[in-house]
Amino acid sequence: MPAPRPLAEIRHLLDELLEVEFSFRDTAAPAAAIAELPGPRQAQLISWIQRVASTHVELGYQVACQGVEAQALMEPDTFEAWIFHSMDRYDAEGLRPALLAIEQYRQFAEQQQARRRGALLLDHEGVLSRFLQGLSGRPLKLASADRIYTDSETLYLPPLFSLLPSPAQNFQHYKATCALLWAQIQFGSFRPLLEIPSPEPDLLQLYHALEMLRLEARLKRTLPGLYRELEQTRLILQEPDLPAPWQALSVKLSAPDMRARDTLELARQQLGRLTPYPPRHLPVTLDLEAVRICMAARIEKERARFKVALNSVLEELQRNSPAEQPQQRRFSKRQQPDTDAPEGFTTEILLDDMPAPLPDQVQALQRSILLDLGEIPDEYLQPAGPGEYDATLLQDQNRDADDVWRGSYHEEGAHLYDEWDFQRRHYRKQWCAVREREVTPRHDDFVARTLEKYHGLIKHLRKTFEAMRHENRLLKRQPQGDDVDIDALVEALSDAHLGFEMTDRLLTRMQRDERDIAVIFMVDMSGSTKGWINDAERESLLLLCEALESLGDRYAIYGFSGMTRKRCELFHIKYFEEPYGELVRARISGIEPQDYTRMGFAIRHLSKILQATDAKTRILITLSDGKPDDYDSYRGQYGIEDTRRALIEARRSGIHPYCITIDEEARDYLPHLYGPAAYSVVDDVRTLPLKVSDIYRRLTT
């Protein structure tokens, strides 16, 4: 147990950590408060001050000022969470929000208490998503927001529900709220409102309150189990009964034939006579403008996609019956009464007055259109061939990566990865914005020259790799086999001489192992590879691909480069499922030096790809010319420690990392990163093409 430090020592230490000499900060008060603490709590707080000050000195000073009171208020794990929350705010939003987070330690402690009994959307997002998938209608996404609403494609929910006593009950609260939002979409709550150009706010408010009653009645009929959970939630929350006028309207809205238009008409009748009665604890709100924008874009796309899909159905039928003469075929629809359906009827698509053989994805598209429009318009039933539609409506629009980097929205459409800060001993959350790009193919004479230059070596490598496909492995100490295992026999005779029972595992046999390997080659495309190194990397990859084609291993190739955390790029050269051919060769030829050697994000992203690959052995081979480095703080110890942490994460997930480098100083840092036996240093860059193939052979046998 550490002994308490004296006041003078604490103040001197704070002066050093907080750079008092270069500022107007006064450490007298925080030092005096810390001096009153027991030794262990002193040590803990000073350690946190040091870690936070390594990120920003002012943050460290504020932790010193607030830390004693915060420590007294919080459990150690809550105190740690408060520190990390403040630093995450600094990373994401800057200094002022981080200082505010430190200042609001009391609110944070209260929130943490609520979290202990509450349910986090982040923790339950997967379960809730599967729950929504089980309901009929279009696929829905979940997102965190300050209020509860839907735009008809995404359900927006608070990040934490904590009104109920236990996590299980608060999860039930989430589930019930999701059901109400889903019901708004499923049972056409938005449709009549969108026909009104500018509905009055009072009418909207009253309509929404009445519509919630109708939707609850629909849930009670269609999903009685879920409705019981909703009622249990209300019972626990001790919500009061509806006022008498509302109870009468609730009975009326519960009729099976009531639709959203009926609710709107009822709201018009009651406007000015009835005060809205919104639920207290399930405050589902209505954002009509968000719905209007989202639905308008979707309707236009789905109209084009549905017409094209019907045309594809006709083409498929013609291909399956080529002997028949082409004929004019007609799509139509048939509506049948169904009180359980959102509009009181179901719609069936017919082809020549018979049920149309629509694929599953077309049926899903039909359901989505029905949710928006309540019907399939006749115009939708006219198939659209080439040139009869806007092709851009058939695909999701992706912005060019360069356009995004030039703007301020560098995270738009990017993969976000954490990065390890060794000074904090904590991850910077969603710190690196990562994008996959494609190397521009270059059709020049590089491939032909390389194949000619290494003609003999390629032939040798192919033979070597071909032999690896049929290699047998000698299994020793087997109960059955072809030859005697001399070592096992000697040991068994020795055991018998000593009076022990002899083992029956005295034979050897050959076993042919099927190769089940997936490998990603992670190629350094930093600016330092310009010239000879770039040529050697490209030649190495070309030779390796030529040899691997005879082996049959699954492999992918990606280049990597970075320019600060905001521009982390992986360059696709070959996917796993992509065949090796002229296009891949042209991409290898097109590999060009880019920016810096930021490695952690690349290891994390490619490890994720490897984890999704079904293989017994997964290997990540890095081909680099130097240590991790970038334009910002990602250099020196910081870059090395983040890369090391990313490699540890990869190993924990069952991936075997290996590094091949031409950096003469690599022996100083690679053992720390990869371990003593998981790297190779190639002293002569000219031998790199031969070395890479040889190392791969040794790694995979």
Side-chain angles (χ1 to χ4, degrees):
M1 180 181 294
R5 294 174 184 254
L7 174 60
E9 183 181 340
I10 293 173
R11 185 165 186 185
H12 177 71
L13 182 59
L14 292 182
D15 287 349
E16 284 189 350
L17 293 176
L18 304 175
E19 301 176 3
V20 170
E21 183 181 353
F22 307 104
S23 70
F24 296 99
R25 301 182 186 95
D26 185 1
T27 60
I34 294 172
E36 298 294 324
L37 296 174
R41 292 180 62 188
Q42 271 189 7
Q44 181 197 44
L45 182 54
I46 291 171
S47 173
W48 281 116
I49 293 169
Q50 181 179 11
R51 289 164 68 174
V52 175
S54 70
T55 296
H56 197 287
V57 173
E58 184 60 29
L59 293 179
Y61 177 67
Q62 292 303 322
V63 169
C65 293
Q66 311 286 354
V68 173
E69 290 187 17
Q71 249 191 355
L73 193 63
M74 305 177 191
E75 296 293 329
D77 59 336
T78 305
F79 184 87
E80 179 179 308
W82 168 61
I83 295 289
F84 287 151
H85 167 69
S86 303
M87 289 195 288
D88 289 342
R89 289 286 298 274
Y90 174 76
D91 289 341
E93 303 172 55
L95 181 60
R96 285 185 178 275
L99 292 173
L100 184 62
I102 292 173
E103 180 184 326
Q104 295 176 337
Y105 64 89
R106 293 184 184 277
Q107 293 94 316
F108 184 85
E110 292 171 1
Q111 290 171 1
Q112 289 299 103
Q113 282 294 106
R115 283 171 181 259
R116 293 182 191 280
R117 68 172 184 273
L120 285 170
L121 178 61
L122 188 64
D123 293 342
H124 298 289
E125 187 173 354
V127 176
L128 292 172
S129 295
R130 289 190 291 273
F131 163 68
L132 290 168
Q133 285 176 2
L135 302 174
S136 58
R138 69 170 61 95
L140 298 171
K141 296 177 286 187
L142 294 171
S144 177
D146 295 333
R147 57 194 177 92
I148 302 170
Y149 72 100
T150 179
D151 62 5
S152 75
E153 284 187 358
T154 302
L155 309 188
Y156 294 92
L157 299 161
L160 172 70
F161 269 1
S162 59
L163 288 171
L164 299 173
S166 72
Q169 290 169 327
N170 282 300
F171 168 71
Q172 184 174 301
H173 191 178
Y174 261 129
K175 193 175 173 184
T177 306
C178 283
L180 286 174
L181 292 171
W182 166 81
Q184 283 187 304
I185 302 167
Q186 179 70 15
F187 299 115
S189 296
F190 308 122
R191 204 175 304 132
L193 295 177
L194 294 174
E195 297 172 1
I196 307 173
S198 299
E200 301 174 28
D202 290 345
L203 177 63
L204 272 181
Q205 187 180 11
L206 183 57
Y207 167 81
H208 178 58
L210 290 169
E211 181 66 0
M212 284 293 104
L213 297 179
R214 185 183 78 89
L215 295 179
E216 289 179 22
R218 294 303 297 258
L219 285 176
K220 185 176 182 179
R221 285 196 302 275
T222 56
L223 299 168
L226 189 61
Y227 179 78
R228 284 194 294 272
E229 292 184 8
L230 177 64
E231 286 296 288
Q232 289 172 5
T233 301
R234 288 218 162 95
L235 186 64
I236 297 170
L237 292 171
Q238 298 180 342
E239 288 194 354
D241 294 334
L242 289 171
W246 282 84
Q247 289 185 19
L249 293 172
S250 177
V251 172
K252 186 173 184 178
L253 289 165
S254 299
D257 59 346
M258 290 294 286
R259 304 286 177 253
R261 296 183 189 281
D262 301 318
T263 307
L264 181 60
E265 183 59 33
L266 189 60
R268 285 180 172 137
Q269 295 171 9
Q270 297 293 330
L271 187 62
R273 300 163 51 190
L274 191 68
T275 303
Y277 183 79
R280 287 191 308 156
H281 297 304
L282 290 172
V284 175
T285 60
L286 178 65
D287 191 331
L288 190 59
E289 188 58 28
V291 174
R292 194 187 302 275
I293 294 170
C294 184
M295 192 177 288
R298 183 174 58 249
I299 287 174
E300 187 179 9
K301 280 187 177 182
E302 290 186 344
R303 171 183 172 276
R305 291 176 177 179
F306 191 72
K307 291 165 70 71
V308 170
L310 293 185
N311 190 66
S312 298
V313 170
L314 293 180
E315 291 177 348
E316 182 67 21
L317 290 173
Q318 182 61 36
R319 281 195 296 269
N320 292 337
S321 304
E324 296 183 8
Q325 291 294 323
Q327 54 181 313
Q328 189 69 28
R329 311 193 72 172
R330 185 178 67 88
F331 284 100
S332 59
K333 63 187 177 185
R334 178 168 60 199
Q335 294 178 343
Q336 295 181 333
D338 184 349
T339 56
D340 290 332
E343 293 301 317
F345 57 82
T346 57
T347 300
E348 184 179 20
I349 303 299
L350 306 176
L351 178 59
D352 299 335
D353 299 324
M354 297 293 291
L358 301 182
D360 291 344
Q361 63 268 27
V362 182
Q363 294 182 35
L365 193 57
Q366 176 188 342
R367 288 194 296 270
S368 183
I369 294 169
L370 287 169
L371 289 178
D372 285 340
L373 305 179
E375 62 172 352
I376 303 294
D378 292 337
E379 190 267 337
Y380 279 47
L381 299 174
Q382 300 172 12
E388 299 178 27
Y389 55 87
D390 183 355
T392 61
L393 297 176
L394 303 184
Q395 55 192 6
D396 295 322
Q397 298 297 309
N398 294 317
R399 294 182 61 184
D400 182 79
D402 285 329
D403 292 339
V404 176
W405 292 135
R406 293 188 193 105
S408 59
Y409 301 100
H410 65 273
E411 295 182 357
E412 182 180 331
H415 303 274
L416 300 178
Y417 285 94
D418 297 348
E419 189 170 270
W420 178 254
D421 186 328
F422 79 104
Q423 292 177 308
R424 293 185 187 180
R425 285 173 274 172
H426 177 58
Y427 286 100
R428 292 176 179 260
K429 299 293 181 61
Q430 298 188 335
W431 189 243
C432 294
V434 180
R435 289 182 178 277
E436 280 194 32
R437 307 185 63 182
E438 184 175 302
V439 171
T440 303
R442 182 190 297 155
H443 299 277
D444 56 9
D445 64 346
F446 168 78
V447 173
R449 284 190 290 106
T450 302
L451 295 180
E452 177 63 28
K453 177 181 177 181
Y454 294 101
H455 174 73
L457 177 58
I458 291 173
K459 189 175 182 180
H460 168 72
L461 289 174
R462 282 175 177 163
K463 286 184 178 180
T464 303
F465 278 39
E466 177 69 27
M468 289 165 59
R469 295 184 65 174
H470 308 294
E471 282 185 348
N472 293 329
R473 184 160 59 98
L474 180 66
L475 300 180
K476 295 187 174 184
R477 303 179 187 276
Q478 300 296 305
Q480 297 177 346
D482 305 317
D483 293 304
V484 175
D485 186 338
I486 300 299
D487 293 336
L489 180 60
V490 170
E491 290 182 15
L493 291 173
S494 176
D495 289 343
H497 181 71
L498 295 172
F500 298 110
E501 183 179 354
M502 285 183 61
T503 179
D504 62 346
R505 294 181 170 273
L506 302 174
L507 302 174
T508 64
R509 65 182 177 88
M510 301 299 293
Q511 175 174 295
R512 175 169 295 177
D513 287 337
E514 293 296 329
R515 295 177 66 88
D516 187 11
I517 298 173
V519 184
I520 289 182
F521 295 94
M522 186 177 113
V523 184
D524 186 353
M525 288 176 57
S526 62
S528 60
T529 61
K530 188 175 182 179
W532 275 91
I533 299 173
N534 176 255
D535 291 342
E537 283 185 341
R538 293 187 297 154
E539 289 177 351
S540 301
L541 291 174
L542 199 59
L543 267 62
L544 192 62
C545 290
E546 294 289 331
L548 282 172
E549 287 303 297
S550 63
L551 183 57
D553 287 353
R554 286 172 291 168
Y555 67 100
I557 307 172
Y558 289 83
F560 72 96
S561 176
M563 170 66 86
T564 77
R565 70 181 184 90
K566 298 182 179 182
R567 183 167 184 157
C568 302
E569 295 178 322
L570 280 161
F571 294 85
H572 152 237
I573 300 166
K574 181 186 178 300
Y575 292 127
F576 274 117
E577 65 276 10
E578 188 175 12
Y580 174 66
E582 289 303 319
L583 181 57
V584 173
R585 292 189 185 98
R587 290 198 198 112
I588 293 174
S589 178
I591 294 174
E592 292 183 347
Q594 301 292 322
D595 299 307
Y596 290 87
T597 318
R598 199 180 196 102
M599 292 181 68
F601 79 87
I603 294 168
R604 291 184 176 98
H605 188 74
L606 297 182
S607 294
K608 186 177 179 181
I609 293 174
L610 271 173
Q611 288 177 52
T613 305
D614 185 17
K616 183 178 179 181
T617 303
R618 302 179 182 91
I619 304 175
L620 178 62
I621 299 178
T622 303
L623 193 60
S624 177
D625 76 325
K627 67 176 65 175
D629 185 46
D630 201 349
Y631 181 75
D632 54 11
S633 61
Y634 199 90
R635 51 185 46 183
Q637 193 68 15
Y638 183 101
I640 288 174
E641 293 301 330
D642 174 61
T643 303
R644 181 172 183 267
R645 177 63 60 142
L647 291 167
I648 291 172
E649 295 165 15
R651 290 190 190 95
R652 286 174 179 169
S653 63
I655 294 167
H656 305 283
Y658 195 89
C659 181
I660 303 171
T661 184
I662 59 171
D663 183 9
E664 295 178 355
E665 299 177 356
R667 292 181 179 86
D668 295 336
Y669 61 86
L670 280 185
H672 180 62
L673 291 177
Y674 284 86
Y679 71 92
S680 294
V681 179
V682 178
D683 297 320
D684 186 351
V685 68
R686 291 171 295 184
T687 66
L688 188 63
L690 174 61
K691 292 285 188 180
V692 169
S693 298
D694 184 56
I695 291 168
Y696 181 82
R697 181 184 60 79
R698 288 190 284 109
L699 276 178
T700 59
T701 54

